[in-house]
Amino acid sequence: YKGFMVYVSSVWQLTKAKISFACYFLIPSILLGIRRWRGMMVSSKGRYALRVMLYLAQNDREELVPLKEIAESQNISMKYLEMIVSLLHKGGMLISGRGKKGGYRLARKSSEYTIGSILKLTEKTLAPVNCLEGGKVTCEKAGYCITLPMWQKLDGIIDDYLETVTLEDLLEGRV
C-alpha cells in the first residue's frame, strides 16, 4: 500500500507539472494564435551588412576594396559576403567594379547612411512584434487588441532612433 501511494503521488506531481506547463505556456499560445514568437531581432545578415558598411566607411578611399579583403577583415565567408554586398549594391548603397582592381566602396558619404536604412534593406522587418511586419497591422485581432498601440509606439521609437544614427555617428563614437 505504501509503495502504491508513493507511485500515485509521483504520478500526480508529474501530471500537475504537465498541467501547469499547458496552462501557462501552451494554452495561451494556442488561444492567441502564436505559432512562434520572433520579436525584433537583427539577423546575422543585418549585422554583417552593418559591419561591411562600417569597414568601407573606415577605409574611405576612391579605389574599390576587394571582396576578399572585406571577408578576411570581418571574418565572414566569401559566399555569405557575396550575398550581402549584392543586396547592398542593388539597394544603391555600394558601387562595385569587376576585374583585377574590382571590389566595392560606398556610393555616398558615411554621414548619408542611416543604420535604419541599412537594416531595412537587409531585414524583412524591424517590428517588435509579428503583427506589425511590413509597416502595417496584419493581425486579425487589431480591432480589439489593447496592446497594439503600445507596440505601434515602440515600432515608431525604434524606427525614429535608427533613422537618426549614421555610419559616421558610429565611427565617431557619438552613439
Side-chain angles (χ1 to χ4, degrees), residues 49-50 52-65 88 92-96 104-113 118 167-168 171:
L50 279 176
V52 167
M53 295 294 285
L54 285 165
Y55 181 78
L56 292 172
Q58 282 175 322
N59 297 291
D60 193 18
R61 52 192 190 211
E62 288 300 311
E63 71 264 9
L64 301 172
V65 179
L88 292 169
M93 296 195 170
L94 297 179
I95 293 173
S96 69
Y104 294 88
R105 68 178 173 87
L106 297 181
R108 302 182 301 273
K109 295 178 189 172
S110 60
S111 61
E112 297 176 26
Y113 292 96
I118 297 166
L167 290 177
E168 184 179 71
L171 292 172

Side-chain angles (χ1 to χ4, degrees), residues 32-87:
L32 294 172
I34 300 170
R35 288 179 192 83
R36 123 187 118 82
W37 185 77
R38 193 180 64 71
M40 184 194 148
M41 200 166 149
V42 178
S43 70
S44 60
K45 182 172 34 171
R47 292 191 317 272
Y48 290 173
L50 279 176
R51 286 172 40 192
V52 167
M53 295 294 285
L54 285 165
Y55 181 78
L56 292 172
Q58 282 175 322
N59 297 291
D60 193 18
R61 52 192 190 211
E62 288 300 311
E63 71 264 9
L64 301 172
V65 179
L67 197 61
K68 186 175 182 181
E69 178 184 326
I70 299 169
E72 289 172 358
S73 71
Q74 298 303 307
N75 198 25
I76 303 171
S77 78
M78 283 288 284
K79 191 167 184 95
Y80 198 41
L81 186 57
E82 286 170 353
M83 180 194 60
I84 292 168
V85 295
S86 173
L87 186 64

Side-chain angles (χ1 to χ4, degrees), residues 159-175:
D159 187 55
D160 291 346
Y161 175 69
L162 293 176
E163 286 300 326
T164 64
V165 180
T166 66
L167 290 177
E168 184 179 71
D169 292 332
L170 291 176
L171 292 172
E172 299 294 323
R174 293 190 295 243
V175 180

Side-chain angles (χ1 to χ4, degrees), residues 25-26 28-38 130 141:
F25 298 104
L26 297 180
S29 296
I30 293 166
L31 292 176
L32 294 172
I34 300 170
R35 288 179 192 83
R36 123 187 118 82
W37 185 77
R38 193 180 64 71
N130 292 344
K141 297 170 183 70

